[in-house]
Amino acid sequence: MSTKDILLELRTKNGFSQDELAEKVFVTRQAVSRWENGDTVPNTETLKLLSNLYNVSINTLLGSPQKLICQCCGMPLEDEIIGRNKDGSMNEEYCKWCYADGTYVYSDMDNLIDVCVRNMVNENFSEEQARTYLKIELPKLNYWKKYDELSDGGQFEEFKKKLIDEINDLNIEGMPKVESLNALVGKYVNLEYRLPSGMRTKFLNDETTYLGNQLESEIVPGLCFGVLANMDFILICTYEAEGENPELLLYKKR
């Protein structure tokens, strides 16, 4: 689709008149009309406002002229998995797993490779092939080429180590010691728990990236512990295969 068609479709889908949209992005109704007729395109600052308003990337607004990939892990990027800056705007260079709320999640390439390999291995692609491929391709990506400029000097890694110590100090019966925490997007781990009142509720935001891990119970076969945390809280739960029968064990504010 062309930019004019995309802008018309998004405005219509969101129920805005041309006047209403113009007010939201600080332009005139005539400017909106010109975009939708294909006479002009929004300038860079207006594209950013439209991106935030519609929750789509600027690349999508422009008709997807680029094939975006995460410049940390190499994953193809679609709007729903693009990382966010601290102000909530999209950063079209990274996925949510590698860049969350303005923070780069990985400072150790080997750690990232360990995480990626688990999702790449299949009957046609061995672990050895996956590791070899990543060791060749990751250094070509911008984040790793500019690591000294972009990294935080290990501060985030220190935060993760502190968080791991806090979790292990909880001494949850049957739960193995946490050795690492990986980036997990809320949408994929936001389980619904039954409260004592009988109501069901979720505690996470689908769009937020958390730190967490899955650990197999040392006592009950087939039972897993789910660990999720961020700057504000630690959550420990249990569940069976495919996330069935989730039970909230602990929700602790930090």
Side-chain angles (χ1 to χ4, degrees), residues 22-81:
E23 184 177 351
K24 289 180 181 296
V25 296
F26 311 109
V27 298
T28 64
R29 184 199 62 77
Q30 290 78 8
V32 175
S33 178
R34 288 196 293 271
W35 301 339
E36 295 179 358
N37 288 330
D39 298 326
T40 62
V41 295
N43 62 32
T44 300
E45 291 306 311
T46 305
L47 284 170
K48 290 178 181 178
L49 293 173
L50 290 167
S51 172
N52 291 336
L53 179 64
Y54 292 138
N55 200 31
V56 299
S57 65
I58 291 176
N59 191 56
T60 291
L61 292 174
L62 295 177
S64 302
Q66 302 179 61
K67 297 301 179 184
L68 302 178
I69 66 167
C70 176
Q71 293 300 310
C72 179
C73 70
M75 177 187 294
L77 291 179
E78 297 178 359
D79 286 352
E80 59 267 24
I81 64 168

Short mmCIF file of all heavy atoms in Angstrom, two decimals, residues 22-81:
data_model
loop_
_atom_site.label_atom_id
_atom_site.label_comp_id
_atom_site.label_asym_id
_atom_site.label_seq_id
_atom_site.Cartn_x
_atom_site.Cartn_y
_atom_site.Cartn_z
N ALA A 22 -6.09 16.22 12.50
CA ALA A 22 -5.28 17.43 12.36
C ALA A 22 -4.99 18.05 13.73
O ALA A 22 -3.86 18.46 14.01
CB ALA A 22 -5.99 18.44 11.46
N GLU A 23 -6.00 18.07 14.59
CA GLU A 23 -5.82 18.65 15.92
C GLU A 23 -4.85 17.83 16.75
O GLU A 23 -4.03 18.38 17.50
CB GLU A 23 -7.18 18.72 16.63
CG GLU A 23 -7.12 19.38 18.00
CD GLU A 23 -8.49 19.50 18.64
OE1 GLU A 23 -9.49 19.24 17.97
OE2 GLU A 23 -8.53 19.86 19.84
N LYS A 24 -4.89 16.50 16.60
CA LYS A 24 -4.03 15.63 17.41
C LYS A 24 -2.56 15.72 17.01
O LYS A 24 -1.68 15.49 17.85
CB LYS A 24 -4.52 14.17 17.30
CG LYS A 24 -5.84 13.92 18.01
CD LYS A 24 -6.27 12.47 17.87
CE LYS A 24 -7.61 12.23 18.56
NZ LYS A 24 -7.53 12.43 20.02
N VAL A 25 -2.29 16.01 15.74
CA VAL A 25 -0.89 16.06 15.30
C VAL A 25 -0.46 17.48 14.90
O VAL A 25 0.57 17.66 14.24
CB VAL A 25 -0.63 15.06 14.15
CG1 VAL A 25 -0.84 13.64 14.63
CG2 VAL A 25 -1.51 15.35 12.94
N PHE A 26 -1.29 18.48 15.29
CA PHE A 26 -0.91 19.90 15.18
C PHE A 26 -0.66 20.37 13.75
O PHE A 26 0.33 21.03 13.44
CB PHE A 26 0.33 20.17 16.05
CG PHE A 26 0.23 19.63 17.44
CD1 PHE A 26 0.98 18.54 17.84
CD2 PHE A 26 -0.66 20.20 18.36
CE1 PHE A 26 0.87 18.02 19.12
CE2 PHE A 26 -0.77 19.70 19.64
CZ PHE A 26 0.00 18.60 20.03
N VAL A 27 -1.57 19.94 12.86
CA VAL A 27 -1.53 20.43 11.48
C VAL A 27 -2.94 20.89 11.11
O VAL A 27 -3.87 20.83 11.91
CB VAL A 27 -1.06 19.34 10.49
CG1 VAL A 27 0.36 18.90 10.81
CG2 VAL A 27 -2.01 18.14 10.50
N THR A 28 -3.11 21.35 9.89
CA THR A 28 -4.44 21.77 9.42
C THR A 28 -5.17 20.59 8.78
O THR A 28 -4.55 19.59 8.39
CB THR A 28 -4.31 22.89 8.37
OG1 THR A 28 -3.63 22.37 7.22
CG2 THR A 28 -3.52 24.07 8.94
N ARG A 29 -6.48 20.73 8.66
CA ARG A 29 -7.26 19.69 7.99
C ARG A 29 -6.81 19.56 6.53
O ARG A 29 -6.78 18.47 5.97
CB ARG A 29 -8.76 20.03 8.04
CG ARG A 29 -9.65 18.92 7.44
CD ARG A 29 -11.01 19.42 7.06
NE ARG A 29 -10.96 20.46 6.04
CZ ARG A 29 -10.75 20.22 4.75
NH1 ARG A 29 -10.55 18.99 4.31
NH2 ARG A 29 -10.72 21.22 3.89
N GLN A 30 -6.45 20.71 5.93
CA GLN A 30 -6.00 20.68 4.54
C GLN A 30 -4.73 19.85 4.38
O GLN A 30 -4.56 19.15 3.37
CB GLN A 30 -5.75 22.12 4.03
CG GLN A 30 -7.01 22.95 3.84
CD GLN A 30 -7.59 23.49 5.15
OE1 GLN A 30 -6.95 23.37 6.21
NE2 GLN A 30 -8.76 24.09 5.08
N ALA A 31 -3.85 19.90 5.39
CA ALA A 31 -2.62 19.09 5.34
C ALA A 31 -2.97 17.60 5.34
O ALA A 31 -2.39 16.82 4.57
CB ALA A 31 -1.72 19.42 6.52
N VAL A 32 -3.92 17.22 6.19
CA VAL A 32 -4.35 15.82 6.24
C VAL A 32 -4.93 15.40 4.90
O VAL A 32 -4.65 14.31 4.38
CB VAL A 32 -5.38 15.60 7.36
CG1 VAL A 32 -5.93 14.18 7.33
CG2 VAL A 32 -4.77 15.89 8.72
N SER A 33 -5.74 16.28 4.32
CA SER A 33 -6.34 15.99 3.02
C SER A 33 -5.27 15.79 1.95
O SER A 33 -5.36 14.88 1.12
CB SER A 33 -7.28 17.13 2.62
OG SER A 33 -7.85 16.89 1.35
N ARG A 34 -4.24 16.65 1.98
CA ARG A 34 -3.16 16.52 0.99
C ARG A 34 -2.41 15.21 1.14
O ARG A 34 -2.02 14.59 0.15
CB ARG A 34 -2.21 17.72 1.09
CG ARG A 34 -2.80 19.03 0.56
CD ARG A 34 -1.73 20.07 0.33
NE ARG A 34 -1.12 20.51 1.57
CZ ARG A 34 -1.58 21.52 2.31
NH1 ARG A 34 -2.66 22.19 1.93
NH2 ARG A 34 -0.98 21.86 3.43
N TRP A 35 -2.19 14.75 2.40
CA TRP A 35 -1.54 13.45 2.60
C TRP A 35 -2.36 12.34 1.96
O TRP A 35 -1.83 11.48 1.27
CB TRP A 35 -1.41 13.13 4.10
CG TRP A 35 -0.65 14.10 4.92
CD1 TRP A 35 0.28 15.01 4.49
CD2 TRP A 35 -0.74 14.25 6.34
NE1 TRP A 35 0.76 15.72 5.53
CE2 TRP A 35 0.17 15.28 6.69
CE3 TRP A 35 -1.47 13.62 7.34
CZ2 TRP A 35 0.34 15.68 8.02
CZ3 TRP A 35 -1.31 14.01 8.65
CH2 TRP A 35 -0.42 15.04 8.98
N GLU A 36 -3.67 12.38 2.21
CA GLU A 36 -4.53 11.30 1.77
C GLU A 36 -4.81 11.33 0.27
O GLU A 36 -5.22 10.32 -0.32
CB GLU A 36 -5.84 11.33 2.57
CG GLU A 36 -5.61 11.04 4.05
CD GLU A 36 -6.87 11.09 4.89
OE1 GLU A 36 -7.95 11.39 4.32
OE2 GLU A 36 -6.80 10.82 6.11
N ASN A 37 -4.55 12.47 -0.35
CA ASN A 37 -4.65 12.57 -1.81
C ASN A 37 -3.32 12.23 -2.49
O ASN A 37 -3.26 12.14 -3.72
CB ASN A 37 -5.08 13.98 -2.22
CG ASN A 37 -6.54 14.25 -1.90
OD1 ASN A 37 -7.36 13.33 -1.91
ND2 ASN A 37 -6.87 15.51 -1.62
N GLY A 38 -2.27 12.08 -1.68
CA GLY A 38 -0.97 11.76 -2.24
C GLY A 38 -0.20 12.97 -2.74
O GLY A 38 0.81 12.81 -3.45
N ASP A 39 -0.67 14.17 -2.39
CA ASP A 39 0.02 15.38 -2.85
C ASP A 39 1.29 15.64 -2.05
O ASP A 39 2.28 16.16 -2.58
CB ASP A 39 -0.91 16.59 -2.73
CG ASP A 39 -2.15 16.45 -3.60
OD1 ASP A 39 -2.04 15.85 -4.68
OD2 ASP A 39 -3.22 16.93 -3.19
N THR A 40 1.27 15.34 -0.74
CA THR A 40 2.43 15.51 0.13
C THR A 40 2.49 14.34 1.11
O THR A 40 1.56 13.53 1.18
CB THR A 40 2.34 16.83 0.95
OG1 THR A 40 1.18 16.76 1.78
CG2 THR A 40 2.26 18.03 0.03
N VAL A 41 3.59 14.27 1.85
CA VAL A 41 3.69 13.29 2.95
C VAL A 41 4.04 14.07 4.22
O VAL A 41 4.63 15.15 4.15
CB VAL A 41 4.78 12.22 2.68
CG1 VAL A 41 4.41 11.36 1.48
CG2 VAL A 41 6.14 12.85 2.48
N PRO A 42 3.68 13.55 5.38
CA PRO A 42 4.01 14.23 6.64
C PRO A 42 5.52 14.38 6.81
O PRO A 42 6.29 13.54 6.34
CB PRO A 42 3.43 13.30 7.71
CG PRO A 42 2.41 12.47 6.99
CD PRO A 42 2.93 12.30 5.60
N ASN A 43 5.93 15.46 7.49
CA ASN A 43 7.35 15.62 7.77
C ASN A 43 7.78 14.67 8.89
O ASN A 43 6.95 13.96 9.47
CB ASN A 43 7.70 17.08 8.10
CG ASN A 43 6.99 17.58 9.36
OD1 ASN A 43 6.74 16.81 10.30
ND2 ASN A 43 6.69 18.86 9.39
N THR A 44 9.05 14.65 9.18
CA THR A 44 9.59 13.67 10.13
C THR A 44 8.93 13.77 11.51
O THR A 44 8.56 12.76 12.11
CB THR A 44 11.12 13.86 10.28
OG1 THR A 44 11.74 13.68 9.01
CG2 THR A 44 11.69 12.84 11.26
N GLU A 45 8.79 14.99 12.02
CA GLU A 45 8.21 15.15 13.35
C GLU A 45 6.75 14.72 13.38
O GLU A 45 6.27 14.12 14.35
CB GLU A 45 8.34 16.61 13.82
CG GLU A 45 9.77 17.03 14.13
CD GLU A 45 10.44 16.10 15.13
OE1 GLU A 45 9.83 15.81 16.18
OE2 GLU A 45 11.57 15.66 14.86
N THR A 46 6.03 15.00 12.31
CA THR A 46 4.62 14.59 12.25
C THR A 46 4.51 13.08 12.11
O THR A 46 3.61 12.46 12.68
CB THR A 46 3.91 15.29 11.08
OG1 THR A 46 4.07 16.70 11.20
CG2 THR A 46 2.42 14.95 11.07
N LEU A 47 5.43 12.46 11.39
CA LEU A 47 5.44 10.99 11.28
C LEU A 47 5.63 10.36 12.66
O LEU A 47 5.01 9.34 12.97
CB LEU A 47 6.55 10.54 10.33
CG LEU A 47 6.27 10.71 8.83
CD1 LEU A 47 7.54 10.44 8.03
CD2 LEU A 47 5.14 9.78 8.37
N LYS A 48 6.47 10.98 13.49
CA LYS A 48 6.68 10.46 14.84
C LYS A 48 5.38 10.55 15.64
O LYS A 48 5.03 9.61 16.38
CB LYS A 48 7.79 11.24 15.55
CG LYS A 48 9.18 11.00 14.99
CD LYS A 48 10.21 11.84 15.73
CE LYS A 48 11.61 11.63 15.17
NZ LYS A 48 12.61 12.49 15.86
N LEU A 49 4.66 11.66 15.51
CA LEU A 49 3.39 11.82 16.21
C LEU A 49 2.37 10.79 15.72
O LEU A 49 1.63 10.21 16.51
CB LEU A 49 2.85 13.24 16.01
CG LEU A 49 3.65 14.37 16.66
CD1 LEU A 49 3.10 15.73 16.22
CD2 LEU A 49 3.63 14.25 18.18
N LEU A 50 2.32 10.58 14.43
CA LEU A 50 1.39 9.60 13.86
C LEU A 50 1.75 8.18 14.30
O LEU A 50 0.87 7.36 14.58
CB LEU A 50 1.40 9.69 12.33
CG LEU A 50 0.76 10.95 11.74
CD1 LEU A 50 1.12 11.08 10.26
CD2 LEU A 50 -0.76 10.91 11.90
N SER A 51 3.05 7.90 14.38
CA SER A 51 3.51 6.59 14.84
C SER A 51 3.03 6.32 16.26
O SER A 51 2.52 5.23 16.56
CB SER A 51 5.05 6.53 14.78
OG SER A 51 5.55 5.36 15.39
N ASN A 52 3.19 7.31 17.14
CA ASN A 52 2.74 7.15 18.53
C ASN A 52 1.22 7.05 18.62
O ASN A 52 0.69 6.26 19.40
CB ASN A 52 3.22 8.32 19.38
CG ASN A 52 4.72 8.31 19.58
OD1 ASN A 52 5.35 7.27 19.50
ND2 ASN A 52 5.30 9.46 19.86
N LEU A 53 0.52 7.84 17.82
CA LEU A 53 -0.94 7.85 17.85
C LEU A 53 -1.52 6.53 17.40
O LEU A 53 -2.44 5.99 18.03
CB LEU A 53 -1.46 8.98 16.95
CG LEU A 53 -2.97 9.13 16.85
CD1 LEU A 53 -3.57 9.50 18.20
CD2 LEU A 53 -3.33 10.18 15.79
N TYR A 54 -0.98 5.97 16.33
CA TYR A 54 -1.53 4.75 15.76
C TYR A 54 -0.83 3.48 16.23
O TYR A 54 -1.25 2.36 15.90
CB TYR A 54 -1.44 4.80 14.22
CG TYR A 54 -2.34 5.84 13.58
CD1 TYR A 54 -1.86 6.63 12.53
CD2 TYR A 54 -3.64 6.03 14.00
CE1 TYR A 54 -2.68 7.58 11.92
CE2 TYR A 54 -4.47 6.98 13.39
CZ TYR A 54 -3.97 7.74 12.35
OH TYR A 54 -4.78 8.69 11.75
N ASN A 55 0.27 3.65 16.99
CA ASN A 55 1.04 2.51 17.49
C ASN A 55 1.57 1.64 16.35
O ASN A 55 1.51 0.40 16.39
CB ASN A 55 0.18 1.66 18.44
CG ASN A 55 1.04 0.78 19.35
OD1 ASN A 55 2.15 1.15 19.70
ND2 ASN A 55 0.53 -0.38 19.71
N VAL A 56 2.06 2.28 15.32
CA VAL A 56 2.72 1.60 14.20
C VAL A 56 4.04 2.29 13.94
O VAL A 56 4.24 3.45 14.34
CB VAL A 56 1.85 1.60 12.93
CG1 VAL A 56 0.53 0.88 13.16
CG2 VAL A 56 1.62 3.02 12.41
N SER A 57 4.93 1.62 13.26
CA SER A 57 6.24 2.20 12.98
C SER A 57 6.16 3.23 11.85
O SER A 57 5.23 3.22 11.03
CB SER A 57 7.23 1.10 12.58
OG SER A 57 6.82 0.50 11.36
N ILE A 58 7.13 4.11 11.80
CA ILE A 58 7.23 5.06 10.69
C ILE A 58 7.43 4.29 9.39
O ILE A 58 6.90 4.66 8.35
CB ILE A 58 8.37 6.06 10.94
CG1 ILE A 58 8.02 6.98 12.11
CG2 ILE A 58 8.66 6.88 9.69
CD1 ILE A 58 9.12 7.95 12.52
N ASN A 59 8.16 3.20 9.46
CA ASN A 59 8.35 2.37 8.28
C ASN A 59 7.02 1.89 7.72
O ASN A 59 6.80 1.88 6.50
CB ASN A 59 9.24 1.17 8.64
CG ASN A 59 9.71 0.40 7.43
OD1 ASN A 59 10.31 0.94 6.52
ND2 ASN A 59 9.41 -0.90 7.40
N THR A 60 6.10 1.49 8.61
CA THR A 60 4.77 1.07 8.17
C THR A 60 4.02 2.24 7.55
O THR A 60 3.35 2.09 6.51
CB THR A 60 3.97 0.50 9.35
OG1 THR A 60 4.57 -0.74 9.75
CG2 THR A 60 2.52 0.24 8.98
N LEU A 61 4.09 3.42 8.18
CA LEU A 61 3.39 4.60 7.65
C LEU A 61 3.86 4.94 6.23
O LEU A 61 3.07 5.42 5.41
CB LEU A 61 3.64 5.81 8.56
CG LEU A 61 3.02 5.75 9.96
CD1 LEU A 61 3.49 6.95 10.78
CD2 LEU A 61 1.49 5.74 9.87
N LEU A 62 5.13 4.66 5.95
CA LEU A 62 5.70 4.99 4.63
C LEU A 62 5.56 3.85 3.63
O LEU A 62 6.13 3.89 2.55
CB LEU A 62 7.16 5.37 4.79
CG LEU A 62 7.43 6.65 5.60
CD1 LEU A 62 8.92 6.89 5.74
CD2 LEU A 62 6.75 7.85 4.95
N GLY A 63 4.79 2.81 4.00
CA GLY A 63 4.57 1.70 3.08
C GLY A 63 5.60 0.61 3.16
O GLY A 63 5.77 -0.17 2.22
N SER A 64 6.32 0.54 4.27
CA SER A 64 7.35 -0.50 4.52
C SER A 64 8.41 -0.56 3.43
O SER A 64 8.67 -1.63 2.85
CB SER A 64 6.67 -1.87 4.68
OG SER A 64 5.74 -1.85 5.74
N PRO A 65 9.08 0.58 3.15
CA PRO A 65 10.14 0.54 2.14
C PRO A 65 11.38 -0.22 2.59
O PRO A 65 12.19 -0.64 1.76
CB PRO A 65 10.46 2.03 1.94
CG PRO A 65 10.11 2.66 3.25
CD PRO A 65 8.90 1.91 3.73
N GLN A 66 11.55 -0.40 3.91
CA GLN A 66 12.70 -1.13 4.43
C GLN A 66 12.26 -2.43 5.08
O GLN A 66 11.18 -2.53 5.65
CB GLN A 66 13.43 -0.29 5.49
CG GLN A 66 13.91 1.06 5.02
CD GLN A 66 14.59 1.81 6.14
OE1 GLN A 66 15.61 1.37 6.68
NE2 GLN A 66 14.04 2.95 6.51
N LYS A 67 13.11 -3.44 4.98
CA LYS A 67 12.90 -4.68 5.71
C LYS A 67 13.70 -4.56 7.01
O LYS A 67 14.92 -4.72 7.01
CB LYS A 67 13.37 -5.88 4.89
CG LYS A 67 12.61 -6.07 3.60
CD LYS A 67 11.12 -6.27 3.84
CE LYS A 67 10.36 -6.44 2.52
NZ LYS A 67 8.90 -6.54 2.74
N LEU A 68 13.01 -4.23 8.08
CA LEU A 68 13.69 -3.96 9.34
C LEU A 68 14.11 -5.25 10.03
O LEU A 68 13.37 -6.23 10.06
CB LEU A 68 12.77 -3.18 10.28
CG LEU A 68 12.23 -1.84 9.77
CD1 LEU A 68 11.28 -1.23 10.81
CD2 LEU A 68 13.36 -0.88 9.45
N ILE A 69 15.32 -5.24 10.59
CA ILE A 69 15.76 -6.35 11.45
C ILE A 69 16.37 -5.75 12.71
O ILE A 69 16.91 -4.64 12.69
CB ILE A 69 16.78 -7.28 10.76
CG1 ILE A 69 18.10 -6.54 10.49
CG2 ILE A 69 16.22 -7.89 9.50
CD1 ILE A 69 19.23 -7.47 10.10
N CYS A 70 16.27 -6.47 13.81
CA CYS A 70 16.85 -6.01 15.07
C CYS A 70 18.36 -5.94 14.92
O CYS A 70 19.02 -6.91 14.52
CB CYS A 70 16.48 -6.98 16.20
SG CYS A 70 17.26 -6.57 17.78
N GLN A 71 18.92 -4.79 15.28
CA GLN A 71 20.35 -4.58 15.13
C GLN A 71 21.15 -5.13 16.31
O GLN A 71 22.34 -4.84 16.45
CB GLN A 71 20.64 -3.10 14.95
CG GLN A 71 20.13 -2.55 13.63
CD GLN A 71 20.74 -3.25 12.43
OE1 GLN A 71 21.96 -3.39 12.35
NE2 GLN A 71 19.91 -3.70 11.50
N CYS A 72 20.48 -5.96 17.14
CA CYS A 72 21.19 -6.66 18.20
C CYS A 72 21.16 -8.17 17.96
O CYS A 72 22.19 -8.83 18.03
CB CYS A 72 20.57 -6.33 19.56
SG CYS A 72 21.34 -7.16 20.96
N CYS A 73 19.96 -8.72 17.65
CA CYS A 73 19.84 -10.17 17.49
C CYS A 73 19.58 -10.62 16.06
O CYS A 73 19.68 -11.81 15.75
CB CYS A 73 18.74 -10.72 18.40
SG CYS A 73 17.06 -10.27 17.90
N GLY A 74 19.20 -9.68 15.17
CA GLY A 74 18.97 -10.03 13.77
C GLY A 74 17.56 -10.48 13.45
O GLY A 74 17.27 -10.84 12.31
N MET A 75 16.65 -10.45 14.43
CA MET A 75 15.27 -10.89 14.19
C MET A 75 14.54 -9.91 13.26
O MET A 75 14.65 -8.70 13.43
CB MET A 75 14.52 -10.98 15.52
CG MET A 75 13.05 -11.35 15.39
SD MET A 75 12.19 -11.24 16.97
CE MET A 75 13.01 -12.55 17.88
N PRO A 76 13.78 -10.42 12.27
CA PRO A 76 12.96 -9.52 11.45
C PRO A 76 11.96 -8.77 12.33
O PRO A 76 11.36 -9.37 13.24
CB PRO A 76 12.24 -10.48 10.49
CG PRO A 76 13.11 -11.70 10.44
CD PRO A 76 13.69 -11.82 11.82
N LEU A 77 11.78 -7.48 12.09
CA LEU A 77 10.94 -6.66 12.96
C LEU A 77 9.58 -6.39 12.34
O LEU A 77 9.48 -5.93 11.20
CB LEU A 77 11.63 -5.32 13.24
CG LEU A 77 12.89 -5.37 14.11
CD1 LEU A 77 13.46 -3.96 14.27
CD2 LEU A 77 12.58 -5.96 15.48
N GLU A 78 8.55 -6.66 13.12
CA GLU A 78 7.19 -6.24 12.81
C GLU A 78 6.76 -5.28 13.92
O GLU A 78 7.33 -5.27 15.01
CB GLU A 78 6.26 -7.46 12.75
CG GLU A 78 6.65 -8.43 11.64
CD GLU A 78 5.76 -9.66 11.63
OE1 GLU A 78 4.86 -9.76 12.49
OE2 GLU A 78 5.97 -10.53 10.76
N ASP A 79 5.74 -4.50 13.66
CA ASP A 79 5.37 -3.42 14.58
C ASP A 79 5.16 -3.91 16.01
O ASP A 79 5.57 -3.24 16.97
CB ASP A 79 4.10 -2.72 14.09
CG ASP A 79 4.36 -1.82 12.89
OD1 ASP A 79 5.54 -1.63 12.55
OD2 ASP A 79 3.39 -1.32 12.31
N GLU A 80 4.53 -5.07 16.18
CA GLU A 80 4.17 -5.52 17.52
C GLU A 80 5.37 -5.94 18.36
O GLU A 80 5.25 -6.10 19.59
CB GLU A 80 3.15 -6.65 17.47
CG GLU A 80 3.59 -7.88 16.72
CD GLU A 80 3.18 -7.86 15.26
OE1 GLU A 80 2.96 -6.75 14.72
OE2 GLU A 80 3.08 -8.95 14.66
N ILE A 81 6.54 -6.14 17.76
CA ILE A 81 7.69 -6.56 18.56
C ILE A 81 8.83 -5.54 18.53
O ILE A 81 9.93 -5.82 18.99
CB ILE A 81 8.22 -7.93 18.11
CG1 ILE A 81 8.76 -7.89 16.67
CG2 ILE A 81 7.16 -9.01 18.28
CD1 ILE A 81 9.55 -9.13 16.29
#
